[in-house]
Amino acid sequence: MRLVGPNGEQVGIVRIEDALRLAQEADLDLVEVAATARPPVCKLMDFGKYKYETAQKARESRRNQTNTVIKEMKLRPKIDPHDYETKKGHVVRFLRAGDKVKITIMFRGREQSRPELGFRLLQRLAEDVSELGFVESSPRQDGRNMIMVLGPHKKKSEARVDVEAEKAKKQAEHEAELEAERLERAEQLKAYEAEKAAGATKKPKGPADNLDPE
């Protein structure tokens, strides 16, 4: 067999008995890494550590995969300002998380004769969230609905990092506030105890202190 050392160095072609002896002396495993090669290739390694590191890399790779998720938000052409701001807030949250957003304008009755209302509303929304997303699919009429798709500027993996960083920042700020409050309470308690101790050392006046020494 062709033997490879634990650090990738080429040991050369050796007998299986010699390879097993070297593995035992180094307290390592003899692992076949290329069975179809001629001669077959084996490597000295810590097989348990190798399996653990391989599993870790696979887990990290799955974690960093971009899972495309399409959220949907429905609006009416004559939506009131408060509802619009609420819906826009949801769209912002979706885009910030790295998800696509399908915006659907629902027309009813006579509203179907005024498609420009829906078009203008979609344009307004796209402009309001332009820092976080872009128009991936332009507004198009689909029966009684008008549809537009917004895509996030950042990939989901990047967005996840930003979200985690923001959470960590808020947690650190919260912990700093709690620590500041704890120190302030400790200072107040210290001042109170010092004031109390100072009052206890003063000799209280008795009846004799008010008598004239003459």
Side-chain angles (χ1 to χ4, degrees), residues 57-214:
K57 289 179 181 178
R59 190 178 298 112
E60 187 67 22
S61 177
R62 288 194 299 270
R63 186 183 297 116
N64 292 332
Q65 283 180 351
T66 302
N67 297 321
T68 303
V69 177
I70 299 181
K71 304 289 186 177
E72 185 172 11
M73 186 59 56
K74 296 181 179 180
L75 293 79
R76 294 294 307 282
K78 297 180 181 179
I79 187 171
D80 66 68
H82 176 73
D83 285 344
Y84 174 80
E85 291 299 324
T86 300
K87 301 278 188 178
K88 185 181 75 173
H90 292 313
V91 174
V92 166
R93 178 164 52 85
F94 295 148
L95 292 173
R96 188 169 284 148
D99 295 322
K100 295 183 180 182
V101 189
K102 176 183 176 183
I103 312 297
T104 302
I105 304 294
M106 302 179 296
F107 296 95
R108 294 179 182 174
R110 296 180 179 179
E111 292 174 349
Q112 297 180 59
S113 63
R114 301 288 305 280
E116 69 276 6
L117 295 177
F119 184 78
R120 284 199 296 265
L121 182 59
L122 291 175
Q123 281 188 316
R124 174 188 172 190
L125 181 59
E127 291 173 0
D128 287 348
V129 299
S130 59
E131 291 185 0
L132 298 171
F134 62 95
V135 178
E136 185 174 284
S137 178
S138 300
R140 59 181 176 82
Q141 195 75 27
D142 183 14
R144 294 184 177 183
N145 300 327
M146 183 174 288
I147 297 171
M148 177 181 72
V149 177
L150 296 173
H153 287 311
K154 293 185 178 181
K155 294 180 180 178
K156 197 169 183 66
S157 57
E158 297 173 345
R160 186 185 298 115
V161 172
D162 291 343
V163 169
E164 293 299 325
E166 185 65 23
K167 286 182 179 178
K169 179 182 177 182
K170 290 182 178 179
Q171 180 65 23
E173 291 175 348
H174 178 64
E175 291 176 356
E177 290 176 359
L178 292 178
E179 180 64 15
E181 292 176 0
R182 187 188 68 79
L183 292 174
E184 184 179 358
R185 288 196 298 270
E187 288 294 329
Q188 291 175 347
L189 180 59
K190 184 178 179 181
Y192 171 76
E193 290 178 346
E195 183 179 348
K196 184 178 179 181
T201 57
K202 292 181 179 179
K203 181 183 177 181
K205 288 184 178 183
D209 294 327
N210 297 323
L211 297 178
D212 188 344
E214 297 297 331

Side-chain angles (χ1 to χ4, degrees), residues 1-3 12-22 30:
M1 70 174 66
R2 186 179 300 279
L3 184 63
I13 297 177
V14 300
R15 296 184 305 165
I16 186 170
E17 294 83 2
D18 294 333
L20 289 171
R21 178 177 53 80
L22 290 172
L30 182 63

